Amino acid sequence: MNFSPSSRSSVVVAELGPTNTGKTHRAIERMLAHDTGMIGLPLRLLAREVYDRVTARVGEGRVALMTGEEKRLPPRPDYWICTVEAMPTDRQVDFLAVDEIQLAAHRERGHVFTDRLLHARGLRETWFLGADTMRPMVQALIPQASVKRATRLSQLRYSGRRSLKSLPPRSAVVAFSADRVYELAEALRRLRGGVAVVLGALSPRTRNAQVAMYQAGEVQYLVATDAIGMGLNLDLNHVAFAAFSKFDGAEQRDLFPDEMAQIAGRAGRHLNDGSFGTLNTLPELPPRVVSAIESHRFPSVRSLIWRNATLDFSSPESLLDSLSRAPGHNAFVRVERADDFDALRELSRVPAISEVATDRATVELLWQVCQIPDFRKGLFGQHVALLRETFLQLSEGDGKLEQAWLAKQVSPLDDVAGDIHTLMDRLAAIRIWTYISHRSSWLHEAEQWQERTRRIEDALGDALHERLVERFVQRAARRSARRFVRAAESAPPKSDSPFAKLGLLLGETSGADGAMTEEQFVQRVVDATHEAFEVDASGSILFEGQPLARLVRGKDRRSPQIALAEPEVWTGGARRQLERRLMALARDLVTEAMGSFPAEALTGGDRLPAMRGLAYRLAEGLGVISQAEAREQWRLLDDESRARLKTLGIREGQRFLYVAEALAQHALERRCMLTALFQQSPSPKGIPREPVLEVAELGGRDARAFGYEVLGTVALRLDVVERLSEALRHPSGASQVHTLMQELRLESGVRARVLRELGGQSGGAPQKRRRRRRRGKSPAAAPDKSGSNGQPAHAGSHQTPRRSGAGEGGV
């Protein structure tokens, strides 16, 4: 058996080191320097955080989000942000990264990370990120990899034992069971007034809301399980352990030092130092453990969890045998147990299933059903019964799940009443149906079921967040966490207040008590597609018909900033979420103005200097630059680079190098909006609808910035300039020139001036000018024949252009 990794990638880099080294940040930056990329992350919550960061840079139209329960897939994504299990490994991308590769040693999930380590590669570059304990494994399995040690940006120091009362602000207390977390949270609430709670069993939506509350400073303390140890970026100064052992799914065991370091390393972010310790109910940490955590030195990983990926689907028994196959390399240990394998073994013993699963297609279907995750983590037999019924329905009739049966399973979960434990149980159950709903081939009206399960999960998540706040944040500390509708109603009503209108609008929406909470509304904005927002020519952003924010001047036209319409209405966490979502919208608007030109991907350090320079100029020009600006750098490009740019829509025009879509009407409208914002002055009248304007109408402003070119006394829109220039240089373009000139309705003298500046004559294609000397007459004394030869009587004459009316925008 061959265990050698794929060698498709030209470069493989392993960045290994402790927490807070900036590994993930550097990988994201490197990904964005490529045309296409994919990054696999260990948690759905972390995948969503990275997705938000990337979309704020390049816009949502270029980024896909793929997790087991959430898919946001634009028509043509360049970048894929995924959980490691959900990575579409059949999709080729230039850059690929996998984060937290030390999880390849995890007893349940490890085999997936091992598979990515062996086989997942980018076409140009691959990065593996993780703990330095993986160094020997990476060097043995991928000898061609460049292994780099990442250095922590801040110091981590042991501070001994503390009582809950003496914990400093911005502290996290870590326990390893939900009951213990709640107990500690209740104690901190009494002592400090408020605390946020983070557990792995919470839905991502609830965890987001709790983290946002903490990050915004609405509470100063956090109580969590080790769920915070895997990539959550929190502003923590101190981490206190409330226990040294945990149940790992098989047994209660002591924490390993490297596991403790992963959690303690959440303290101190970027250049700020952090500390870790224990609660005074525990003994001091042993000196050797303290030393290992502070110096980030731990025993190396010596084996990885592995599962055979070459499966035999001829029968359930053959599939079980192939999954049970032992590795042929001493670096690997076969996975001991996995839920999908256990489910397959149980189902293969059911007569009704063994009678059906007799060919490759049905065995593959059975395996897909067995991979439905059991988020409830309750009675295994209950989950197997659900899988049995699911498979039998899919393997008979039309191959779809029965609508009535689905409704019977899902409807009881659509209930936000109950305490924290009840809501968590319902959340776990609905996440199973959210997963199933994304297997579109299994359901009738799959999109409707996706929407329904997502809505139920969101409602349960919001209700759970409210219960956590009610229980663990005292009323005095909750004044800023007011309900959104009440906040709007508490202000004196103003006719021009957008939030007075929004309050009325949201009051009609059913929530826990008939009104939408701030968290629910913010999440609607965060989850909304690009089409849900309206942006007018002045940069005002409307959501569901009501003003929400506006674009304001940034450092340049490509960097507009966001200003919420009434920032004082929102709590700190809500403001952060809204601003982050709207920044992604702003990047989409800039991308539209540039005709979807991926400038950021072409300015990376590994690009040719000419390519970087050209991409930078095109970005500055919002997809359009003059040939004079482009000529030298275009000449220095190699054939491959020119071909690449042409596939991205770059066109060599007669007067401009431009992105074809940047001259479309919609893109020109975005250009004018961004230019007006940056210049802090409204666009000149008629721009960009009118194809031709008098120069005087520009008021001395830069025509090119608005998408026009000055030709004599008029300014023509750039798309019209290029069409005219092309027609003038085409051997049979005279009729097209004539048609365009009729549509523009220019006076004859102005028309002649325009054609002369474009290098042509009014009759059609350009001709070589011959200088004829007439006897007895100098050229200056020749009679005026501007009406016939296209030359104006006076080169500097100012004549008023005439334009057609409503139809002009189509020129």
Side-chain angles (χ1 to χ4, degrees):
M1 190 177 299
N2 179 19
F3 288 97
S4 61
S6 168
S7 58
R8 290 181 293 127
S9 177
S10 58
V11 176
V12 179
V13 174
E15 278 235 13
L16 306 177
T19 57
N20 192 28
T21 59
K23 299 186 296 290
T24 307
H25 171 76
R26 285 191 293 276
I28 293 169
E29 292 298 312
R30 191 67 188 141
M31 179 179 72
L32 294 178
H34 288 270
D35 296 343
T36 59
M38 181 185 300
I39 184 167
L41 299 150
L43 297 174
R44 177 183 171 189
L45 181 61
L46 182 57
R48 184 56 194 250
E49 179 184 320
V50 172
Y51 172 80
D52 289 340
R53 287 172 58 187
V54 174
T55 55
R57 288 276 297 276
V58 302
E60 288 197 340
R62 297 182 60 197
V63 189
L65 175 66
M66 299 287 286
T67 71
E69 305 149 71
E70 187 175 14
K71 291 178 175 61
R72 296 173 74 94
L73 190 61
R76 294 187 301 275
D78 294 322
Y79 304 110
W80 297 73
I81 314 301
C82 317
T83 50
V84 173
E85 285 85 350
M87 294 173 74
T89 52
D90 58 340
R91 179 170 292 273
Q92 294 187 336
V93 291
D94 293 331
F95 176 90
L96 184 142
V98 181
D99 199 8
E100 306 290 3
I101 58 168
Q102 73 274 9
L103 287 177
H106 190 277
R107 62 194 305 167
E108 292 184 27
R109 300 179 66 196
H111 65 90
V112 179
F113 285 80
T114 299
D115 179 78
R116 303 296 182 261
L117 192 65
L118 293 176
H119 304 298
R121 297 292 184 271
L123 294 175
R124 296 178 179 272
E125 195 168 1
T126 303
W127 279 30
F128 294 114
L129 317 172
D132 199 53
T133 54
M134 284 292 292
R135 181 179 296 267
M137 282 287 100
V138 171
Q139 291 172 332
L141 297 173
I142 317 174
Q144 77 273 23
S146 171
V147 182
K148 301 178 180 179
R149 178 173 173 80
T151 304
R152 186 175 166 92
L153 300 175
S154 63
Q155 297 295 314
L156 187 62
R157 292 285 179 259
Y158 180 58
S159 63
R161 302 162 65 213
R162 290 175 180 264
S163 66
L164 280 178
K165 190 174 183 179
S166 65
L167 286 176
R170 315 308 289 170
S171 288
V173 181
V174 180
F176 298 96
S177 71
D179 288 342
R180 182 63 170 147
V181 166
Y182 296 146
E183 177 187 337
L184 290 164
E186 180 64 29
L188 267 175
R189 181 194 67 81
R190 291 195 301 267
L191 289 168
R192 298 296 191 180
V195 62
V197 174
V198 174
L199 303 92
L202 297 181
S203 72
R205 185 179 176 108
T206 311
R207 280 180 288 175
N208 278 340
Q210 290 285 304
V211 168
M213 184 172 67
Y214 173 82
Q215 289 290 88
E218 293 164 22
V219 294
Q220 294 294 319
Y221 297 89
L222 182 75
V223 182
T225 63
D226 51 346
I228 69 164
M230 199 59 66
L232 268 181
N233 293 311
L234 299 165
D235 296 327
L236 287 172
N237 294 332
H238 181 75
V239 169
F241 288 90
F244 292 152
S245 66
K246 72 172 186 176
F247 183 75
D248 65 0
E251 60 183 358
Q252 187 77 22
R253 62 167 178 82
D254 291 339
L255 294 168
F256 299 123
D258 59 328
E259 290 177 315
M260 298 186 72
Q262 186 76 27
I263 299 167
R266 294 298 116 193
R269 302 307 298 163
H270 194 50
L271 300 178
N272 298 320
D273 292 343
S275 61
F276 68 100
T278 68
L279 294 184
N280 58 7
T281 54
L282 296 176
E284 294 277 3
L285 278 173
R288 61 178 180 80
V289 174
V290 170
S291 176
I293 295 174
E294 289 183 339
S295 60
H296 322 296
R297 297 192 182 279
F298 307 98
S300 298
V301 173
R302 293 300 179 187
S303 59
L304 306 182
I305 304 300
W306 176 88
R307 184 160 74 180
N308 181 30
T310 308
L311 303 180
D312 183 352
F313 292 104
S314 58
S315 70
E317 293 74 23
S318 298
L319 178 57
L320 284 166
D321 288 342
S322 61
L323 286 165
S324 301
R325 190 171 302 160
H329 193 291
N330 59 12
F332 303 129
V333 175
R334 183 171 61 84
V335 60
E336 291 180 15
R337 63 160 304 276
D339 288 344
D340 51 8
F341 180 88
D342 293 344
L344 176 64
R345 185 171 54 194
E346 291 295 320
L347 292 177
S348 65
R349 298 169 180 166
V350 177
I353 290 179
S354 58
E355 291 172 6
V356 173
T358 57
D359 57 58
R360 181 181 180 87
T362 51
V363 175
E364 284 187 354
L365 174 63
L366 177 60
W367 181 232
Q368 291 170 4
V369 170
C370 290
Q371 291 177 303
I372 296 172
D374 182 14
F375 293 109
R376 293 173 296 189
K377 299 295 182 185
L379 296 175
F380 183 65
Q382 183 182 7
H383 185 64
V384 170
L386 171 64
L387 301 184
R388 174 185 178 277
E389 181 63 27
T390 301
F391 173 75
L392 291 176
Q393 287 192 32
L394 292 173
S395 58
E396 61 188 22
D398 61 359
K400 307 280 187 181
L401 296 176
E402 298 172 4
Q403 297 274 57
W405 180 75
L406 273 173
K408 184 179 178 181
Q409 306 300 317
V410 171
S411 295
L413 304 175
D414 192 3
D415 181 2
V416 295
D419 60 15
I420 290 173
H421 292 285
T422 301
L423 292 173
M424 287 181 66
D425 288 343
R426 290 195 196 118
L427 261 172
I430 196 62
R431 288 178 69 187
I432 296 174
W433 297 105
T434 300
Y435 179 94
I436 291 174
S437 73
H438 280 93
R439 305 302 297 251
S440 299
S441 61
W442 293 2
L443 290 87
H444 295 284
E445 302 173 345
E447 290 187 2
Q448 293 184 24
W449 282 106
Q450 290 167 15
E451 174 61 29
R452 183 176 180 184
T453 57
R454 177 70 178 274
R455 179 185 58 77
I456 293 172
E457 183 179 337
D458 289 349
L460 289 169
D462 290 335
L464 179 55
H465 173 62
E466 282 193 6
R467 300 296 191 282
L468 291 170
V469 171
E470 287 170 2
R471 178 168 172 182
F472 300 124
V473 183
Q474 287 182 355
R475 292 183 183 278
R478 289 170 53 199
R479 289 173 183 162
S480 63
R482 57 193 178 275
R483 296 180 63 81
F484 174 72
V485 174
R486 293 173 189 163
E489 293 172 347
S490 64
K494 302 178 187 176
S495 59
D496 60 346
S497 170
F499 291 99
K501 299 175 184 177
L502 272 175
L504 295 173
L505 172 70
L506 298 174
E508 299 169 1
T509 309
S510 60
D513 59 358
M516 183 176 290
T517 65
E518 179 186 74
E519 289 85 359
Q520 288 172 323
F521 175 74
V522 169
Q523 199 63 44
R524 279 176 67 176
V525 176
V526 169
D527 292 340
T529 62
H530 181 77
E531 293 71 24
F533 300 92
E534 298 174 55
V535 185
D536 65 21
S538 67
S540 293
I541 300 172
L542 284 75
F543 180 70
E544 297 181 346
Q546 298 297 329
L548 179 61
R550 68 185 189 281
L551 297 171
V552 295
R553 189 179 194 270
K555 64 179 182 180
D556 53 40
R557 289 191 297 174
R558 294 174 291 133
S559 308
Q561 300 301 301
I562 295 294
L564 294 174
E566 290 188 17
E568 69 279 0
V569 169
W570 309 99
T571 60
R575 280 198 303 273
R576 290 165 65 99
Q577 289 180 282
L578 288 171
E579 288 169 349
R580 186 169 57 187
R581 173 64 186 91
L582 295 176
M583 281 303 299
L585 174 68
R587 295 297 172 260
D588 277 334
L589 299 175
V590 174
T591 300
E592 289 174 8
M594 293 195 295
S596 300
F597 178 64
E600 193 154 9
L602 300 176
T603 53
D606 60 336
R607 302 286 182 177
L608 292 172
M611 173 70 89
R612 295 202 305 269
L614 200 59
Y616 178 76
R617 285 178 177 272
L618 278 166
E620 274 196 321
L622 295 180
V624 183
I625 56 175
S626 68
Q627 283 287 7
E629 292 178 276
R631 189 174 295 113
E632 181 62 20
Q633 288 170 325
W634 184 262
R635 183 184 65 80
L636 293 173
L637 293 177
D638 55 29
D639 292 340
E640 182 184 352
S641 298
R642 288 199 196 95
R644 173 62 182 147
L645 288 174
K646 287 178 179 178
T647 63
L648 294 173
I650 301 296
R651 300 290 180 265
E652 287 186 89
Q654 298 300 326
R655 296 175 71 89
F656 301 99
L657 186 77
Y658 62 95
V659 183
E661 289 297 315
L663 297 188
Q665 183 71 18
H666 182 65
L668 290 170
E669 289 172 358
R670 296 303 190 206
R671 165 187 281 268
C672 293
M673 178 197 70
L674 294 170
T675 301
L677 279 173
F678 184 68
Q679 296 183 355
Q680 296 183 305
S681 179
S683 299
K685 186 178 180 182
I687 286 180
R689 182 176 56 84
E690 297 288 354
V692 57
L693 299 169
E694 295 181 53
V695 170
E697 294 176 12
L698 293 170
R701 301 168 75 180
D702 181 6
R704 184 87 54 83
F706 288 97
Y708 285 74
E709 181 78 344
V710 173
L711 298 167
T713 61
V714 295
L716 265 61
R717 207 170 56 207
L718 296 181
D719 60 319
V720 178
V721 171
E722 278 302 321
R723 287 169 62 191
L724 266 175
S725 299
E726 183 64 31
L728 285 167
R729 281 153 182 78
H730 197 281
S732 57
S735 60
Q736 187 179 355
V737 172
H738 181 70
T739 300
L740 284 170
M741 283 302 179
Q742 282 189 319
E743 291 176 353
L744 294 174
R745 296 191 178 187
L746 299 174
E747 296 285 358
S748 60
V750 177
R751 180 181 66 230
R753 175 71 179 275
V754 167
L755 291 175
R756 186 180 71 184
E757 294 210 13
L758 292 177
Q761 297 183 356
S762 61
Q767 301 175 5
K768 291 183 179 179
R769 296 181 181 177
R770 294 183 178 179
R771 203 172 199 182
R772 297 183 179 180
R773 298 188 64 178
R774 300 185 181 182
R775 292 186 179 181
K777 293 184 179 180
S778 67
D784 176 20
K785 296 190 178 183
S786 62
S788 58
N789 65 13
Q791 301 299 321
H794 302 286
S797 63
H798 294 266
Q799 302 186 46
T800 303
R802 291 190 298 162
R803 303 183 291 271
S804 62
E808 288 289 325
V811 174

